[in-house]
Amino acid sequence: MSIRKTFQQVSPEIRKNLVVIFLAGVLFWTSMASQLPTIPLYVRSIGGTPEQVGTVMGAFAIGLLTFRSWMGKFADQNGRRRVVQLGLLVAAIVPVFYAMLPPLPIMFGLRAIHGVCIAAFTTGVSALISDLAPPQHRGEIIGYMTLVNPLGLSLGPLLSIWIGAEYGYRGIFIAAAILAATGLAITIDLQEAESFLKAKMLDRINLAEQAAQNELSDRPGNIDRIDRLDRQLLPQISFWQLLSSDRVRIPTITLFMCGAMFGTLASFLPLLIEDRGLAMSAGLFYTVVALASFMSRLQVANTVDRYGRGLFITVGLICYALSMLCLFISSHSILVILAAIMQGAGSGIVLPTIIALLADRSTIKERGSVFGAAWIGFDLGIAAAGPVIGGLVRNVAINNAFSIAACLGIVAILLFATQSNHSLTDSFRFAIGRGKDKYAVPS
């Protein structure tokens, strides 16, 4: 189905919200991507070693890991809109401090704080889009809405090249702050999904009935007690129970492997290009990644609801692994461009499909918590890749970092093909598009 036909089938209010989310997403990811090729070079310019570059880049995930699950619970309790806006606020503030060109220890701390914006924005947006999208078109709408990521990844590096040539590192960081602040401004009228509000309304009715039965209305402090009851209406499952549950565990591990491959790329690609003396920039690489990701997400959006989630995740993981392999053996710019195409295809297929998979496997009351728990895998992969892989390749050629990442991609393929559903047979059939997801919650 075409984009136009799909969006004509939803209400004007939903269309308005989706447009606001899309525009805010483009601004957010352009802001983030403009800094992606800049920070490793800045760290090296002030004397940072490859291991220190990896540590600073990986520090970003400290904020992600610390706040991701909390953001999911907050989104379920207080709404997705506030979480989205918090992410944009942090994304607007932290680059201002980057613009002061701080030394390494301060840069490490700022990167950790900066990670909170991803924890908030991606968790809130994923849950809000999943709430807004009709179940029969969920994968398609998620696919279209995640086009903001490749758009931002293509615009951001080009912006950093242009502004960096004129104004240096400081100019790039100020521009990133302005972009995020603009995204925050346009979300003022963003609304929650009607289904989410109805669920909260039913909760409040239940609370009123329970309060009446317990005669809370005649007692001092009843508001505090109702707020405690409100929190009790959320699914009573601990973070670790949710993370280790059959429906969430394998998607989380898959995201960990993808995060580790992305973390390797973000930390060591600029260094690989410099060390190999290749006639290209990291900005060009990320632009190609974005274009490939854009095209693959369009294909996912058009077909994922028809062919199922499993096949697309398998194909995407293969692309991830091939990308890392191309970078490992890279001796010419053509191989690096091929790696960029594979990387873009991998991320463009896997990430929106896993969002749809997690939405299928969760109810609206717990959706924020499920996204918050599963995406910790991606965050942990990013956090571990820089320092761990950086330490392993400290005394060898930098391209060896990508051989390790390629192995992680292969492991991810094997795990998903054998453990993603109830049994080995069900998992394999699901992974090749021949079986249904046994963990999906009925619509």
Side-chain angles (χ1 to χ4, degrees):
M1 185 176 294
S2 68
I3 297 175
R4 183 178 179 181
K5 288 183 179 179
T6 299
F7 281 84
Q8 283 177 340
Q9 293 183 6
V10 300
S11 69
E13 188 64 29
I14 290 178
R15 282 201 300 272
K16 177 185 175 182
N17 278 313
L18 291 176
V19 169
V20 170
I21 295 169
F22 192 90
L23 293 175
V26 171
L27 291 165
F28 176 85
W29 287 112
T30 302
S31 171
M32 301 303 296
S34 67
Q35 301 163 78
L36 192 60
T38 304
I39 293 176
L41 297 177
Y42 168 68
V43 172
R44 178 179 254 191
S45 74
I46 59 175
T49 65
E51 189 172 3
Q52 288 173 324
V53 171
T55 299
V56 169
M57 295 301 290
F60 190 84
I62 294 175
L64 283 166
L65 290 167
T66 304
F67 287 92
R68 176 77 84 173
S69 63
W70 185 83
M71 290 298 174
K73 291 180 181 178
F74 187 86
D76 286 335
Q77 293 176 359
N78 301 286
R80 324 313 192 186
R81 174 175 173 267
R82 293 181 182 179
V83 180
V84 171
Q85 291 176 333
L86 176 60
L88 287 162
L89 179 63
V90 175
I93 292 174
V94 173
V96 175
F97 291 93
Y98 287 160
M100 300 176 186
L101 305 181
L104 275 175
I106 296 177
M107 193 70 181
F108 178 89
L110 288 173
R111 285 291 291 170
I113 296 171
H114 205 182
V116 176
C117 72
I118 292 283
F121 187 82
T122 56
T123 300
V125 163
S126 296
L128 182 54
I129 294 172
S130 298
D131 294 347
L132 290 167
Q136 68 272 23
H137 297 300
R138 181 178 290 150
E140 184 178 7
I141 289 177
I142 288 173
Y144 291 138
M145 294 301 294
T146 59
L147 290 173
V148 298
N149 187 273
L151 282 173
L153 278 175
S154 63
L155 295 173
L158 294 176
L159 185 69
S160 70
I161 293 171
W162 173 57
I163 294 179
E166 294 290 332
Y167 304 104
Y169 295 124
R170 184 174 283 112
I172 295 171
F173 295 135
I174 292 296
I178 292 172
L179 288 168
T182 305
L184 176 62
I186 68 173
T187 61
I188 292 175
D189 293 329
L190 188 63
Q191 301 296 320
E192 299 288 347
E194 185 178 350
S195 55
F196 178 81
L197 295 176
K198 284 181 178 179
K200 298 300 289 184
M201 180 71 73
L202 290 174
D203 283 352
R204 287 296 176 181
I205 293 171
N206 291 335
L207 284 174
E209 293 176 349
Q210 190 169 350
Q213 291 172 1
N214 295 326
E215 299 180 347
L216 286 175
S217 57
D218 296 330
R219 299 180 185 180
N222 64 312
I223 294 177
D224 291 338
R225 297 182 67 181
I226 288 178
D227 285 342
R228 289 196 297 271
L229 286 171
D230 190 20
R231 290 191 292 272
Q232 291 170 9
L233 285 174
L234 292 171
Q236 295 301 303
I237 181 171
S238 73
F239 167 77
W240 293 110
Q241 287 175 320
L242 185 61
L243 193 63
S244 62
S245 63
D246 291 338
R247 61 191 172 126
V248 176
R249 183 178 63 254
I250 294 302
T252 303
I253 295 174
T254 302
L255 287 171
F256 170 81
M257 300 298 186
C258 294
M261 287 184 279
F262 176 77
T264 303
L265 188 69
S267 297
F268 304 114
L269 175 68
L271 307 184
L272 176 71
I273 291 173
E274 276 194 4
D275 290 347
R276 290 294 175 94
L278 300 176
M280 63 176 297
S281 67
L284 175 61
F285 180 93
Y286 288 121
T287 299
V288 175
V289 167
L291 292 173
S293 182
F294 187 92
M295 297 305 297
S296 63
R297 285 170 198 255
L298 280 177
Q299 186 61 38
V300 168
N302 286 325
T303 54
V304 69
D305 288 321
R306 187 160 67 247
Y307 295 110
R309 322 303 191 203
L311 176 64
F312 286 91
I313 293 174
T314 302
V315 172
L317 291 173
I318 292 171
C319 291
Y320 260 117
L322 289 175
S323 173
M324 297 298 105
L325 182 61
C326 286
L327 290 173
F328 169 58
I329 63 175
S330 63
S331 57
H332 193 277
S333 297
I334 293 176
L335 277 174
V336 178
I337 294 297
L338 180 60
I341 294 171
M342 290 292 102
Q343 172 69 22
S347 62
I349 294 170
V350 172
L351 301 185
T353 308
I354 284 190
I355 292 173
L357 180 72
L358 292 170
D360 293 344
R361 294 183 175 191
S362 59
T363 64
I364 196 165
K365 288 186 179 182
E366 63 173 359
R367 190 161 287 149
S369 297
V370 168
F371 282 126
W375 280 94
I376 279 181
F378 193 78
D379 307 339
L380 186 60
I382 295 174
V388 173
I389 295 181
L392 291 173
V393 302
R394 179 171 47 191
N395 299 316
V396 296
I398 200 72
N399 68 310
N400 287 284
F402 298 99
S403 68
I404 298 172
C407 292
L408 293 177
I410 294 170
V411 171
I413 296 166
L414 294 175
L415 279 175
F416 187 79
T418 58
Q419 301 295 318
S420 59
N421 245 276
H422 278 178
S423 65
L424 178 63
T425 301
D426 289 339
S427 297
F428 185 74
R429 287 179 57 82
F430 177 63
I432 62 172
R434 298 292 184 179
K436 294 183 178 180
D437 183 10
K438 300 297 179 67
Y439 294 124
V441 176
S443 300

PDB file of all heavy atoms in Angstrom, residues 299-300 303-305 307-317 349-350 353 431:
ATOM      1  N   GLN A 299      11.063  -0.239   1.767  1.00  0.00           N
ATOM      2  CA  GLN A 299      10.712  -1.607   1.403  1.00  0.00           C
ATOM      3  C   GLN A 299      10.102  -2.346   2.585  1.00  0.00           C
ATOM      4  O   GLN A 299       9.126  -3.085   2.438  1.00  0.00           O
ATOM      5  CB  GLN A 299      11.959  -2.349   0.906  1.00  0.00           C
ATOM      6  CG  GLN A 299      11.685  -3.740   0.375  1.00  0.00           C
ATOM      7  CD  GLN A 299      10.751  -3.729  -0.828  1.00  0.00           C
ATOM      8  OE1 GLN A 299      10.822  -2.851  -1.678  1.00  0.00           O
ATOM      9  NE2 GLN A 299       9.844  -4.695  -0.883  1.00  0.00           N
ATOM     10  N   VAL A 300      10.687  -2.145   3.764  1.00  0.00           N
ATOM     11  CA  VAL A 300      10.139  -2.764   4.976  1.00  0.00           C
ATOM     12  C   VAL A 300       8.711  -2.292   5.206  1.00  0.00           C
ATOM     13  O   VAL A 300       7.797  -3.088   5.479  1.00  0.00           O
ATOM     14  CB  VAL A 300      11.026  -2.433   6.202  1.00  0.00           C
ATOM     15  CG1 VAL A 300      10.312  -2.805   7.496  1.00  0.00           C
ATOM     16  CG2 VAL A 300      12.345  -3.176   6.110  1.00  0.00           C
ATOM     17  N   THR A 303       6.102  -3.992   2.975  1.00  0.00           N
ATOM     18  CA  THR A 303       5.927  -5.453   2.940  1.00  0.00           C
ATOM     19  C   THR A 303       5.953  -6.156   4.300  1.00  0.00           C
ATOM     20  O   THR A 303       5.573  -7.320   4.377  1.00  0.00           O
ATOM     21  CB  THR A 303       7.038  -6.087   2.073  1.00  0.00           C
ATOM     22  OG1 THR A 303       8.325  -5.665   2.555  1.00  0.00           O
ATOM     23  CG2 THR A 303       6.894  -5.669   0.621  1.00  0.00           C
ATOM     24  N   VAL A 304       6.389  -5.496   5.375  1.00  0.00           N
ATOM     25  CA  VAL A 304       6.612  -6.214   6.624  1.00  0.00           C
ATOM     26  C   VAL A 304       5.311  -6.741   7.232  1.00  0.00           C
ATOM     27  O   VAL A 304       5.304  -7.798   7.874  1.00  0.00           O
ATOM     28  CB  VAL A 304       7.370  -5.323   7.634  1.00  0.00           C
ATOM     29  CG1 VAL A 304       6.495  -4.172   8.136  1.00  0.00           C
ATOM     30  CG2 VAL A 304       7.891  -6.154   8.806  1.00  0.00           C
ATOM     31  N   ASP A 305       4.198  -6.040   7.061  1.00  0.00           N
ATOM     32  CA  ASP A 305       2.930  -6.536   7.602  1.00  0.00           C
ATOM     33  C   ASP A 305       2.432  -7.746   6.808  1.00  0.00           C
ATOM     34  O   ASP A 305       1.653  -8.544   7.323  1.00  0.00           O
ATOM     35  CB  ASP A 305       1.869  -5.429   7.573  1.00  0.00           C
ATOM     36  CG  ASP A 305       2.128  -4.342   8.610  1.00  0.00           C
ATOM     37  OD1 ASP A 305       2.545  -4.687   9.727  1.00  0.00           O
ATOM     38  OD2 ASP A 305       1.938  -3.158   8.292  1.00  0.00           O
ATOM     39  N   TYR A 307       4.607 -10.079   5.068  1.00  0.00           N
ATOM     40  CA  TYR A 307       5.498 -11.229   5.141  1.00  0.00           C
ATOM     41  C   TYR A 307       5.979 -11.557   6.550  1.00  0.00           C
ATOM     42  O   TYR A 307       6.649 -12.571   6.746  1.00  0.00           O
ATOM     43  CB  TYR A 307       6.710 -11.012   4.225  1.00  0.00           C
ATOM     44  CG  TYR A 307       6.346 -10.951   2.764  1.00  0.00           C
ATOM     45  CD1 TYR A 307       6.432  -9.746   2.067  1.00  0.00           C
ATOM     46  CD2 TYR A 307       5.911 -12.083   2.088  1.00  0.00           C
ATOM     47  CE1 TYR A 307       6.090  -9.678   0.725  1.00  0.00           C
ATOM     48  CE2 TYR A 307       5.571 -12.022   0.752  1.00  0.00           C
ATOM     49  CZ  TYR A 307       5.664 -10.821   0.065  1.00  0.00           C
ATOM     50  OH  TYR A 307       5.320 -10.758  -1.272  1.00  0.00           O
ATOM     51  N   GLY A 308       5.665 -10.723   7.526  1.00  0.00           N
ATOM     52  CA  GLY A 308       6.049 -11.032   8.895  1.00  0.00           C
ATOM     53  C   GLY A 308       7.385 -10.430   9.290  1.00  0.00           C
ATOM     54  O   GLY A 308       8.188 -10.027   8.446  1.00  0.00           O
ATOM     55  N   ARG A 309       7.618 -10.396  10.608  1.00  0.00           N
ATOM     56  CA  ARG A 309       8.798  -9.712  11.140  1.00  0.00           C
ATOM     57  C   ARG A 309      10.075 -10.547  11.020  1.00  0.00           C
ATOM     58  O   ARG A 309      11.164 -10.013  10.820  1.00  0.00           O
ATOM     59  CB  ARG A 309       8.591  -9.355  12.619  1.00  0.00           C
ATOM     60  CG  ARG A 309       7.202  -8.891  13.029  1.00  0.00           C
ATOM     61  CD  ARG A 309       6.698  -7.692  12.281  1.00  0.00           C
ATOM     62  NE  ARG A 309       5.489  -7.144  12.895  1.00  0.00           N
ATOM     63  CZ  ARG A 309       4.597  -6.402  12.271  1.00  0.00           C
ATOM     64  NH1 ARG A 309       4.756  -6.094  11.003  1.00  0.00           N
ATOM     65  NH2 ARG A 309       3.534  -5.947  12.905  1.00  0.00           N
ATOM     66  N   GLY A 310       9.958 -11.856  11.184  1.00  0.00           N
ATOM     67  CA  GLY A 310      11.135 -12.718  11.302  1.00  0.00           C
ATOM     68  C   GLY A 310      12.062 -12.675  10.095  1.00  0.00           C
ATOM     69  O   GLY A 310      13.286 -12.550  10.242  1.00  0.00           O
ATOM     70  N   LEU A 311      11.506 -12.782   8.897  1.00  0.00           N
ATOM     71  CA  LEU A 311      12.317 -12.801   7.683  1.00  0.00           C
ATOM     72  C   LEU A 311      13.130 -11.522   7.544  1.00  0.00           C
ATOM     73  O   LEU A 311      14.319 -11.563   7.199  1.00  0.00           O
ATOM     74  CB  LEU A 311      11.418 -12.991   6.460  1.00  0.00           C
ATOM     75  CG  LEU A 311      12.108 -12.929   5.099  1.00  0.00           C
ATOM     76  CD1 LEU A 311      13.112 -14.069   4.958  1.00  0.00           C
ATOM     77  CD2 LEU A 311      11.060 -12.996   3.971  1.00  0.00           C
ATOM     78  N   PHE A 312      12.516 -10.402   7.823  1.00  0.00           N
ATOM     79  CA  PHE A 312      13.211  -9.121   7.666  1.00  0.00           C
ATOM     80  C   PHE A 312      14.348  -8.963   8.678  1.00  0.00           C
ATOM     81  O   PHE A 312      15.410  -8.432   8.344  1.00  0.00           O
ATOM     82  CB  PHE A 312      12.214  -7.970   7.793  1.00  0.00           C
ATOM     83  CG  PHE A 312      11.329  -7.820   6.585  1.00  0.00           C
ATOM     84  CD1 PHE A 312      10.112  -8.479   6.508  1.00  0.00           C
ATOM     85  CD2 PHE A 312      11.726  -7.049   5.507  1.00  0.00           C
ATOM     86  CE1 PHE A 312       9.306  -8.362   5.397  1.00  0.00           C
ATOM     87  CE2 PHE A 312      10.924  -6.915   4.386  1.00  0.00           C
ATOM     88  CZ  PHE A 312       9.708  -7.584   4.323  1.00  0.00           C
ATOM     89  N   ILE A 313      14.118  -9.421   9.897  1.00  0.00           N
ATOM     90  CA  ILE A 313      15.181  -9.323  10.894  1.00  0.00           C
ATOM     91  C   ILE A 313      16.373 -10.184  10.482  1.00  0.00           C
ATOM     92  O   ILE A 313      17.530  -9.768  10.603  1.00  0.00           O
ATOM     93  CB  ILE A 313      14.651  -9.733  12.291  1.00  0.00           C
ATOM     94  CG1 ILE A 313      13.620  -8.708  12.770  1.00  0.00           C
ATOM     95  CG2 ILE A 313      15.800  -9.843  13.297  1.00  0.00           C
ATOM     96  CD1 ILE A 313      12.923  -9.074  14.061  1.00  0.00           C
ATOM     97  N   THR A 314      16.112 -11.379   9.973  1.00  0.00           N
ATOM     98  CA  THR A 314      17.194 -12.262   9.524  1.00  0.00           C
ATOM     99  C   THR A 314      17.997 -11.625   8.394  1.00  0.00           C
ATOM    100  O   THR A 314      19.237 -11.591   8.427  1.00  0.00           O
ATOM    101  CB  THR A 314      16.622 -13.607   9.051  1.00  0.00           C
ATOM    102  OG1 THR A 314      15.884 -14.218  10.118  1.00  0.00           O
ATOM    103  CG2 THR A 314      17.740 -14.544   8.620  1.00  0.00           C
ATOM    104  N   VAL A 315      17.306 -11.100   7.401  1.00  0.00           N
ATOM    105  CA  VAL A 315      17.993 -10.461   6.274  1.00  0.00           C
ATOM    106  C   VAL A 315      18.797  -9.258   6.754  1.00  0.00           C
ATOM    107  O   VAL A 315      19.941  -9.031   6.330  1.00  0.00           O
ATOM    108  CB  VAL A 315      16.979 -10.044   5.194  1.00  0.00           C
ATOM    109  CG1 VAL A 315      17.650  -9.204   4.111  1.00  0.00           C
ATOM    110  CG2 VAL A 315      16.326 -11.281   4.576  1.00  0.00           C
ATOM    111  N   GLY A 316      18.220  -8.470   7.645  1.00  0.00           N
ATOM    112  CA  GLY A 316      18.920  -7.301   8.162  1.00  0.00           C
ATOM    113  C   GLY A 316      20.185  -7.657   8.912  1.00  0.00           C
ATOM    114  O   GLY A 316      21.216  -6.984   8.786  1.00  0.00           O
ATOM    115  N   LEU A 317      20.139  -8.722   9.708  1.00  0.00           N
ATOM    116  CA  LEU A 317      21.326  -9.162  10.449  1.00  0.00           C
ATOM    117  C   LEU A 317      22.429  -9.635   9.504  1.00  0.00           C
ATOM    118  O   LEU A 317      23.621  -9.415   9.754  1.00  0.00           O
ATOM    119  CB  LEU A 317      20.950 -10.268  11.430  1.00  0.00           C
ATOM    120  CG  LEU A 317      20.081  -9.835  12.619  1.00  0.00           C
ATOM    121  CD1 LEU A 317      19.642 -11.057  13.426  1.00  0.00           C
ATOM    122  CD2 LEU A 317      20.830  -8.846  13.519  1.00  0.00           C
ATOM    123  N   ILE A 349      16.459  -2.230   8.043  1.00  0.00           N
ATOM    124  CA  ILE A 349      15.562  -3.392   8.103  1.00  0.00           C
ATOM    125  C   ILE A 349      15.345  -3.845   9.544  1.00  0.00           C
ATOM    126  O   ILE A 349      14.208  -4.034   9.992  1.00  0.00           O
ATOM    127  CB  ILE A 349      16.130  -4.553   7.265  1.00  0.00           C
ATOM    128  CG1 ILE A 349      16.154  -4.182   5.783  1.00  0.00           C
ATOM    129  CG2 ILE A 349      15.307  -5.826   7.472  1.00  0.00           C
ATOM    130  CD1 ILE A 349      16.910  -5.168   4.909  1.00  0.00           C
ATOM    131  N   VAL A 350      16.416  -4.010  10.300  1.00  0.00           N
ATOM    132  CA  VAL A 350      16.316  -4.614  11.631  1.00  0.00           C
ATOM    133  C   VAL A 350      15.605  -3.710  12.632  1.00  0.00           C
ATOM    134  O   VAL A 350      14.682  -4.142  13.337  1.00  0.00           O
ATOM    135  CB  VAL A 350      17.715  -4.990  12.170  1.00  0.00           C
ATOM    136  CG1 VAL A 350      17.620  -5.426  13.635  1.00  0.00           C
ATOM    137  CG2 VAL A 350      18.316  -6.115  11.344  1.00  0.00           C
ATOM    138  N   THR A 353      11.794  -3.101  12.251  1.00  0.00           N
ATOM    139  CA  THR A 353      11.084  -4.376  12.358  1.00  0.00           C
ATOM    140  C   THR A 353      11.057  -4.859  13.801  1.00  0.00           C
ATOM    141  O   THR A 353      10.046  -5.410  14.265  1.00  0.00           O
ATOM    142  CB  THR A 353      11.735  -5.437  11.454  1.00  0.00           C
ATOM    143  OG1 THR A 353      11.859  -4.929  10.129  1.00  0.00           O
ATOM    144  CG2 THR A 353      10.892  -6.702  11.421  1.00  0.00           C
ATOM    145  N   ALA A 431      12.001 -17.216  11.465  1.00  0.00           N
ATOM    146  CA  ALA A 431      13.157 -16.463  10.963  1.00  0.00           C
ATOM    147  C   ALA A 431      13.244 -16.443   9.446  1.00  0.00           C
ATOM    148  O   ALA A 431      13.854 -15.538   8.876  1.00  0.00           O
ATOM    149  CB  ALA A 431      14.447 -17.043  11.544  1.00  0.00           C
TER     150      ALA A 431
END
